[in-house]
Amino acid sequence: MSAKSAAMLRVVTGHGILPRPNWLERIMTMFDVRRSRIVLDRLTDKQLADIGLTRMDVEQEIARPAWDVPANWRR
């Protein structure tokens, strides 16, 4: 599988939050991060407690800019 095909597969399957080498893939990662944060915001307090988070943790995460991701994602 070519690198381009593998990158598109990550995006199409929803598994796009992975280190991506080129600028287009970095933009796609920002969209993935934003989508994940929106989904996190929609969880109930009970669901958040199950994964060890509080509503305050979620609000802090949502307030971060889309490009603010862990350093290991930015290779």
PDB file of all heavy atoms in Angstrom, residues 40-68:
ATOM      1  N   LEU A  40     -16.164  14.397  22.820  1.00  0.00           N
ATOM      2  CA  LEU A  40     -15.883  14.388  24.252  1.00  0.00           C
ATOM      3  C   LEU A  40     -16.847  15.295  25.004  1.00  0.00           C
ATOM      4  O   LEU A  40     -17.349  14.947  26.078  1.00  0.00           O
ATOM      5  CB  LEU A  40     -14.435  14.837  24.486  1.00  0.00           C
ATOM      6  CG  LEU A  40     -13.885  14.748  25.889  1.00  0.00           C
ATOM      7  CD1 LEU A  40     -13.842  13.313  26.369  1.00  0.00           C
ATOM      8  CD2 LEU A  40     -12.491  15.370  25.935  1.00  0.00           C
ATOM      9  N   ASP A  41     -17.157  16.434  24.435  1.00  0.00           N
ATOM     10  CA  ASP A  41     -18.074  17.388  25.060  1.00  0.00           C
ATOM     11  C   ASP A  41     -19.494  16.837  25.158  1.00  0.00           C
ATOM     12  O   ASP A  41     -20.245  17.215  26.046  1.00  0.00           O
ATOM     13  CB  ASP A  41     -18.079  18.697  24.281  1.00  0.00           C
ATOM     14  CG  ASP A  41     -18.877  19.791  24.970  1.00  0.00           C
ATOM     15  OD1 ASP A  41     -18.799  19.894  26.207  1.00  0.00           O
ATOM     16  OD2 ASP A  41     -19.569  20.547  24.259  1.00  0.00           O
ATOM     17  N   ARG A  42     -19.842  15.927  24.277  1.00  0.00           N
ATOM     18  CA  ARG A  42     -21.200  15.379  24.260  1.00  0.00           C
ATOM     19  C   ARG A  42     -21.402  14.221  25.246  1.00  0.00           C
ATOM     20  O   ARG A  42     -22.523  13.766  25.431  1.00  0.00           O
ATOM     21  CB  ARG A  42     -21.552  14.909  22.853  1.00  0.00           C
ATOM     22  CG  ARG A  42     -21.676  16.062  21.889  1.00  0.00           C
ATOM     23  CD  ARG A  42     -22.020  15.604  20.506  1.00  0.00           C
ATOM     24  NE  ARG A  42     -22.127  16.758  19.614  1.00  0.00           N
ATOM     25  CZ  ARG A  42     -22.119  16.684  18.307  1.00  0.00           C
ATOM     26  NH1 ARG A  42     -22.011  15.507  17.711  1.00  0.00           N
ATOM     27  NH2 ARG A  42     -22.217  17.764  17.578  1.00  0.00           N
ATOM     28  N   LEU A  43     -20.321  13.749  25.860  1.00  0.00           N
ATOM     29  CA  LEU A  43     -20.451  12.667  26.832  1.00  0.00           C
ATOM     30  C   LEU A  43     -21.136  13.165  28.100  1.00  0.00           C
ATOM     31  O   LEU A  43     -20.977  14.313  28.488  1.00  0.00           O
ATOM     32  CB  LEU A  43     -19.075  12.098  27.185  1.00  0.00           C
ATOM     33  CG  LEU A  43     -18.304  11.410  26.068  1.00  0.00           C
ATOM     34  CD1 LEU A  43     -16.938  10.968  26.575  1.00  0.00           C
ATOM     35  CD2 LEU A  43     -19.064  10.230  25.502  1.00  0.00           C
ATOM     36  N   THR A  44     -21.867  12.265  28.742  1.00  0.00           N
ATOM     37  CA  THR A  44     -22.525  12.616  30.005  1.00  0.00           C
ATOM     38  C   THR A  44     -21.486  12.616  31.119  1.00  0.00           C
ATOM     39  O   THR A  44     -20.380  12.077  30.970  1.00  0.00           O
ATOM     40  CB  THR A  44     -23.629  11.598  30.347  1.00  0.00           C
ATOM     41  OG1 THR A  44     -23.011  10.337  30.595  1.00  0.00           O
ATOM     42  CG2 THR A  44     -24.656  11.491  29.235  1.00  0.00           C
ATOM     43  N   ASP A  45     -21.841  13.198  32.249  1.00  0.00           N
ATOM     44  CA  ASP A  45     -20.931  13.223  33.395  1.00  0.00           C
ATOM     45  C   ASP A  45     -20.593  11.803  33.860  1.00  0.00           C
ATOM     46  O   ASP A  45     -19.467  11.531  34.268  1.00  0.00           O
ATOM     47  CB  ASP A  45     -21.532  14.029  34.543  1.00  0.00           C
ATOM     48  CG  ASP A  45     -21.551  15.526  34.242  1.00  0.00           C
ATOM     49  OD1 ASP A  45     -20.751  15.974  33.387  1.00  0.00           O
ATOM     50  OD2 ASP A  45     -22.355  16.243  34.859  1.00  0.00           O
ATOM     51  N   LYS A  46     -21.544  10.904  33.776  1.00  0.00           N
ATOM     52  CA  LYS A  46     -21.301   9.512  34.168  1.00  0.00           C
ATOM     53  C   LYS A  46     -20.293   8.866  33.217  1.00  0.00           C
ATOM     54  O   LYS A  46     -19.382   8.157  33.651  1.00  0.00           O
ATOM     55  CB  LYS A  46     -22.595   8.718  34.166  1.00  0.00           C
ATOM     56  CG  LYS A  46     -22.423   7.305  34.656  1.00  0.00           C
ATOM     57  CD  LYS A  46     -23.736   6.571  34.752  1.00  0.00           C
ATOM     58  CE  LYS A  46     -23.490   5.248  35.432  1.00  0.00           C
ATOM     59  NZ  LYS A  46     -23.729   4.091  34.729  1.00  0.00           N
ATOM     60  N   GLN A  47     -20.437   9.109  31.919  1.00  0.00           N
ATOM     61  CA  GLN A  47     -19.496   8.560  30.944  1.00  0.00           C
ATOM     62  C   GLN A  47     -18.098   9.143  31.155  1.00  0.00           C
ATOM     63  O   GLN A  47     -17.101   8.435  31.041  1.00  0.00           O
ATOM     64  CB  GLN A  47     -19.978   8.834  29.523  1.00  0.00           C
ATOM     65  CG  GLN A  47     -21.214   8.048  29.138  1.00  0.00           C
ATOM     66  CD  GLN A  47     -21.818   8.513  27.825  1.00  0.00           C
ATOM     67  OE1 GLN A  47     -21.855   9.720  27.542  1.00  0.00           O
ATOM     68  NE2 GLN A  47     -22.298   7.565  27.034  1.00  0.00           N
ATOM     69  N   LEU A  48     -18.038  10.435  31.459  1.00  0.00           N
ATOM     70  CA  LEU A  48     -16.748  11.068  31.728  1.00  0.00           C
ATOM     71  C   LEU A  48     -16.091  10.459  32.961  1.00  0.00           C
ATOM     72  O   LEU A  48     -14.884  10.208  32.973  1.00  0.00           O
ATOM     73  CB  LEU A  48     -16.908  12.577  31.906  1.00  0.00           C
ATOM     74  CG  LEU A  48     -17.274  13.363  30.653  1.00  0.00           C
ATOM     75  CD1 LEU A  48     -17.562  14.803  31.000  1.00  0.00           C
ATOM     76  CD2 LEU A  48     -16.179  13.253  29.610  1.00  0.00           C
ATOM     77  N   ALA A  49     -16.885  10.205  34.001  1.00  0.00           N
ATOM     78  CA  ALA A  49     -16.350   9.590  35.222  1.00  0.00           C
ATOM     79  C   ALA A  49     -15.786   8.206  34.912  1.00  0.00           C
ATOM     80  O   ALA A  49     -14.767   7.801  35.493  1.00  0.00           O
ATOM     81  CB  ALA A  49     -17.428   9.515  36.287  1.00  0.00           C
ATOM     82  N   ASP A  50     -16.424   7.481  33.997  1.00  0.00           N
ATOM     83  CA  ASP A  50     -15.941   6.149  33.613  1.00  0.00           C
ATOM     84  C   ASP A  50     -14.545   6.196  33.008  1.00  0.00           C
ATOM     85  O   ASP A  50     -13.774   5.239  33.144  1.00  0.00           O
ATOM     86  CB  ASP A  50     -16.899   5.490  32.625  1.00  0.00           C
ATOM     87  CG  ASP A  50     -18.180   4.988  33.269  1.00  0.00           C
ATOM     88  OD1 ASP A  50     -18.225   4.890  34.513  1.00  0.00           O
ATOM     89  OD2 ASP A  50     -19.132   4.701  32.518  1.00  0.00           O
ATOM     90  N   ILE A  51     -14.213   7.274  32.334  1.00  0.00           N
ATOM     91  CA  ILE A  51     -12.880   7.385  31.722  1.00  0.00           C
ATOM     92  C   ILE A  51     -11.950   8.281  32.537  1.00  0.00           C
ATOM     93  O   ILE A  51     -10.856   8.615  32.092  1.00  0.00           O
ATOM     94  CB  ILE A  51     -12.969   7.857  30.251  1.00  0.00           C
ATOM     95  CG1 ILE A  51     -13.630   9.227  30.137  1.00  0.00           C
ATOM     96  CG2 ILE A  51     -13.668   6.834  29.392  1.00  0.00           C
ATOM     97  CD1 ILE A  51     -13.591   9.811  28.734  1.00  0.00           C
ATOM     98  N   GLY A  52     -12.400   8.662  33.729  1.00  0.00           N
ATOM     99  CA  GLY A  52     -11.535   9.407  34.642  1.00  0.00           C
ATOM    100  C   GLY A  52     -11.413  10.887  34.356  1.00  0.00           C
ATOM    101  O   GLY A  52     -10.397  11.490  34.699  1.00  0.00           O
ATOM    102  N   LEU A  53     -12.430  11.480  33.754  1.00  0.00           N
ATOM    103  CA  LEU A  53     -12.408  12.910  33.462  1.00  0.00           C
ATOM    104  C   LEU A  53     -13.559  13.614  34.167  1.00  0.00           C
ATOM    105  O   LEU A  53     -14.567  12.995  34.491  1.00  0.00           O
ATOM    106  CB  LEU A  53     -12.528  13.154  31.957  1.00  0.00           C
ATOM    107  CG  LEU A  53     -11.389  12.650  31.086  1.00  0.00           C
ATOM    108  CD1 LEU A  53     -11.726  12.841  29.621  1.00  0.00           C
ATOM    109  CD2 LEU A  53     -10.094  13.350  31.435  1.00  0.00           C
ATOM    110  N   THR A  54     -13.382  14.899  34.368  1.00  0.00           N
ATOM    111  CA  THR A  54     -14.456  15.727  34.911  1.00  0.00           C
ATOM    112  C   THR A  54     -14.921  16.682  33.829  1.00  0.00           C
ATOM    113  O   THR A  54     -14.263  16.853  32.796  1.00  0.00           O
ATOM    114  CB  THR A  54     -13.970  16.548  36.125  1.00  0.00           C
ATOM    115  OG1 THR A  54     -12.974  17.474  35.675  1.00  0.00           O
ATOM    116  CG2 THR A  54     -13.397  15.656  37.215  1.00  0.00           C
ATOM    117  N   ARG A  55     -16.031  17.330  34.066  1.00  0.00           N
ATOM    118  CA  ARG A  55     -16.543  18.321  33.117  1.00  0.00           C
ATOM    119  C   ARG A  55     -15.525  19.453  32.958  1.00  0.00           C
ATOM    120  O   ARG A  55     -15.331  19.979  31.860  1.00  0.00           O
ATOM    121  CB  ARG A  55     -17.894  18.843  33.609  1.00  0.00           C
ATOM    122  CG  ARG A  55     -18.591  19.791  32.682  1.00  0.00           C
ATOM    123  CD  ARG A  55     -18.914  19.266  31.312  1.00  0.00           C
ATOM    124  NE  ARG A  55     -19.674  18.024  31.323  1.00  0.00           N
ATOM    125  CZ  ARG A  55     -19.880  17.290  30.237  1.00  0.00           C
ATOM    126  NH1 ARG A  55     -19.422  17.680  29.061  1.00  0.00           N
ATOM    127  NH2 ARG A  55     -20.541  16.158  30.297  1.00  0.00           N
ATOM    128  N   MET A  56     -14.835  19.814  34.041  1.00  0.00           N
ATOM    129  CA  MET A  56     -13.809  20.870  33.985  1.00  0.00           C
ATOM    130  C   MET A  56     -12.661  20.449  33.063  1.00  0.00           C
ATOM    131  O   MET A  56     -12.169  21.264  32.275  1.00  0.00           O
ATOM    132  CB  MET A  56     -13.278  21.173  35.379  1.00  0.00           C
ATOM    133  CG  MET A  56     -12.110  22.120  35.398  1.00  0.00           C
ATOM    134  SD  MET A  56     -12.446  23.852  35.612  1.00  0.00           S
ATOM    135  CE  MET A  56     -13.424  23.932  37.046  1.00  0.00           C
ATOM    136  N   ASP A  57     -12.256  19.183  33.146  1.00  0.00           N
ATOM    137  CA  ASP A  57     -11.199  18.681  32.247  1.00  0.00           C
ATOM    138  C   ASP A  57     -11.622  18.829  30.790  1.00  0.00           C
ATOM    139  O   ASP A  57     -10.828  19.244  29.938  1.00  0.00           O
ATOM    140  CB  ASP A  57     -10.904  17.203  32.518  1.00  0.00           C
ATOM    141  CG  ASP A  57     -10.326  16.935  33.892  1.00  0.00           C
ATOM    142  OD1 ASP A  57      -9.664  17.842  34.450  1.00  0.00           O
ATOM    143  OD2 ASP A  57     -10.535  15.818  34.403  1.00  0.00           O
ATOM    144  N   VAL A  58     -12.854  18.493  30.514  1.00  0.00           N
ATOM    145  CA  VAL A  58     -13.378  18.576  29.144  1.00  0.00           C
ATOM    146  C   VAL A  58     -13.417  20.024  28.677  1.00  0.00           C
ATOM    147  O   VAL A  58     -13.010  20.339  27.554  1.00  0.00           O
ATOM    148  CB  VAL A  58     -14.771  17.920  29.052  1.00  0.00           C
ATOM    149  CG1 VAL A  58     -15.394  18.165  27.690  1.00  0.00           C
ATOM    150  CG2 VAL A  58     -14.674  16.435  29.339  1.00  0.00           C
ATOM    151  N   GLU A  59     -13.879  20.919  29.528  1.00  0.00           N
ATOM    152  CA  GLU A  59     -13.937  22.332  29.146  1.00  0.00           C
ATOM    153  C   GLU A  59     -12.549  22.882  28.849  1.00  0.00           C
ATOM    154  O   GLU A  59     -12.369  23.663  27.914  1.00  0.00           O
ATOM    155  CB  GLU A  59     -14.629  23.137  30.245  1.00  0.00           C
ATOM    156  CG  GLU A  59     -16.117  22.848  30.332  1.00  0.00           C
ATOM    157  CD  GLU A  59     -16.789  23.506  31.527  1.00  0.00           C
ATOM    158  OE1 GLU A  59     -16.123  24.277  32.261  1.00  0.00           O
ATOM    159  OE2 GLU A  59     -17.989  23.248  31.727  1.00  0.00           O
ATOM    160  N   GLN A  60     -11.554  22.463  29.635  1.00  0.00           N
ATOM    161  CA  GLN A  60     -10.178  22.905  29.378  1.00  0.00           C
ATOM    162  C   GLN A  60      -9.671  22.352  28.047  1.00  0.00           C
ATOM    163  O   GLN A  60      -8.995  23.042  27.297  1.00  0.00           O
ATOM    164  CB  GLN A  60      -9.260  22.472  30.517  1.00  0.00           C
ATOM    165  CG  GLN A  60      -9.495  23.224  31.797  1.00  0.00           C
ATOM    166  CD  GLN A  60      -8.676  22.678  32.953  1.00  0.00           C
ATOM    167  OE1 GLN A  60      -8.077  21.609  32.867  1.00  0.00           O
ATOM    168  NE2 GLN A  60      -8.661  23.414  34.060  1.00  0.00           N
ATOM    169  N   GLU A  61     -10.001  21.113  27.760  1.00  0.00           N
ATOM    170  CA  GLU A  61      -9.574  20.498  26.500  1.00  0.00           C
ATOM    171  C   GLU A  61     -10.229  21.189  25.310  1.00  0.00           C
ATOM    172  O   GLU A  61      -9.573  21.457  24.296  1.00  0.00           O
ATOM    173  CB  GLU A  61      -9.910  18.997  26.504  1.00  0.00           C
ATOM    174  CG  GLU A  61      -9.463  18.259  25.285  1.00  0.00           C
ATOM    175  CD  GLU A  61      -7.958  18.184  25.123  1.00  0.00           C
ATOM    176  OE1 GLU A  61      -7.229  18.262  26.131  1.00  0.00           O
ATOM    177  OE2 GLU A  61      -7.510  18.054  23.971  1.00  0.00           O
ATOM    178  N   ILE A  62     -11.502  21.484  25.416  1.00  0.00           N
ATOM    179  CA  ILE A  62     -12.221  22.128  24.317  1.00  0.00           C
ATOM    180  C   ILE A  62     -11.713  23.545  24.066  1.00  0.00           C
ATOM    181  O   ILE A  62     -11.704  24.014  22.926  1.00  0.00           O
ATOM    182  CB  ILE A  62     -13.739  22.123  24.600  1.00  0.00           C
ATOM    183  CG1 ILE A  62     -14.234  20.690  24.520  1.00  0.00           C
ATOM    184  CG2 ILE A  62     -14.497  23.022  23.643  1.00  0.00           C
ATOM    185  CD1 ILE A  62     -15.640  20.513  25.000  1.00  0.00           C
ATOM    186  N   ALA A  63     -11.240  24.205  25.105  1.00  0.00           N
ATOM    187  CA  ALA A  63     -10.751  25.575  24.965  1.00  0.00           C
ATOM    188  C   ALA A  63      -9.413  25.641  24.223  1.00  0.00           C
ATOM    189  O   ALA A  63      -9.032  26.707  23.737  1.00  0.00           O
ATOM    190  CB  ALA A  63     -10.618  26.219  26.340  1.00  0.00           C
ATOM    191  N   ARG A  64      -8.724  24.523  24.125  1.00  0.00           N
ATOM    192  CA  ARG A  64      -7.434  24.509  23.429  1.00  0.00           C
ATOM    193  C   ARG A  64      -7.641  24.656  21.926  1.00  0.00           C
ATOM    194  O   ARG A  64      -8.613  24.155  21.373  1.00  0.00           O
ATOM    195  CB  ARG A  64      -6.707  23.194  23.710  1.00  0.00           C
ATOM    196  CG  ARG A  64      -6.319  23.036  25.159  1.00  0.00           C
ATOM    197  CD  ARG A  64      -5.820  21.666  25.479  1.00  0.00           C
ATOM    198  NE  ARG A  64      -4.655  21.325  24.675  1.00  0.00           N
ATOM    199  CZ  ARG A  64      -4.106  20.120  24.668  1.00  0.00           C
ATOM    200  NH1 ARG A  64      -4.617  19.147  25.378  1.00  0.00           N
ATOM    201  NH2 ARG A  64      -3.066  19.885  23.923  1.00  0.00           N
ATOM    202  N   PRO A  65      -6.721  25.337  21.240  1.00  0.00           N
ATOM    203  CA  PRO A  65      -6.837  25.449  19.782  1.00  0.00           C
ATOM    204  C   PRO A  65      -6.628  24.090  19.111  1.00  0.00           C
ATOM    205  O   PRO A  65      -5.980  23.197  19.672  1.00  0.00           O
ATOM    206  CB  PRO A  65      -5.728  26.429  19.397  1.00  0.00           C
ATOM    207  CG  PRO A  65      -4.912  26.672  20.606  1.00  0.00           C
ATOM    208  CD  PRO A  65      -5.598  26.076  21.788  1.00  0.00           C
ATOM    209  N   ALA A  66      -7.155  23.942  17.924  1.00  0.00           N
ATOM    210  CA  ALA A  66      -7.089  22.664  17.196  1.00  0.00           C
ATOM    211  C   ALA A  66      -5.656  22.239  16.919  1.00  0.00           C
ATOM    212  O   ALA A  66      -5.367  21.052  16.825  1.00  0.00           O
ATOM    213  CB  ALA A  66      -7.876  22.761  15.901  1.00  0.00           C
ATOM    214  N   TRP A  67      -4.734  23.181  16.788  1.00  0.00           N
ATOM    215  CA  TRP A  67      -3.354  22.828  16.486  1.00  0.00           C
ATOM    216  C   TRP A  67      -2.562  22.488  17.747  1.00  0.00           C
ATOM    217  O   TRP A  67      -1.424  22.071  17.682  1.00  0.00           O
ATOM    218  CB  TRP A  67      -2.658  23.941  15.719  1.00  0.00           C
ATOM    219  CG  TRP A  67      -2.662  25.243  16.444  1.00  0.00           C
ATOM    220  CD1 TRP A  67      -1.758  25.666  17.373  1.00  0.00           C
ATOM    221  CD2 TRP A  67      -3.627  26.294  16.317  1.00  0.00           C
ATOM    222  NE1 TRP A  67      -2.103  26.912  17.837  1.00  0.00           N
ATOM    223  CE2 TRP A  67      -3.254  27.323  17.198  1.00  0.00           C
ATOM    224  CE3 TRP A  67      -4.766  26.455  15.544  1.00  0.00           C
ATOM    225  CZ2 TRP A  67      -3.975  28.499  17.334  1.00  0.00           C
ATOM    226  CZ3 TRP A  67      -5.480  27.633  15.678  1.00  0.00           C
ATOM    227  CH2 TRP A  67      -5.090  28.626  16.556  1.00  0.00           C
ATOM    228  N   ASP A  68      -3.171  22.649  18.924  1.00  0.00           N
ATOM    229  CA  ASP A  68      -2.512  22.345  20.190  1.00  0.00           C
ATOM    230  C   ASP A  68      -2.695  20.856  20.494  1.00  0.00           C
ATOM    231  O   ASP A  68      -3.655  20.446  21.126  1.00  0.00           O
ATOM    232  CB  ASP A  68      -3.106  23.209  21.303  1.00  0.00           C
ATOM    233  CG  ASP A  68      -2.379  23.054  22.618  1.00  0.00           C
ATOM    234  OD1 ASP A  68      -1.318  22.401  22.646  1.00  0.00           O
ATOM    235  OD2 ASP A  68      -2.865  23.593  23.621  1.00  0.00           O
TER     236      ASP A  68
END
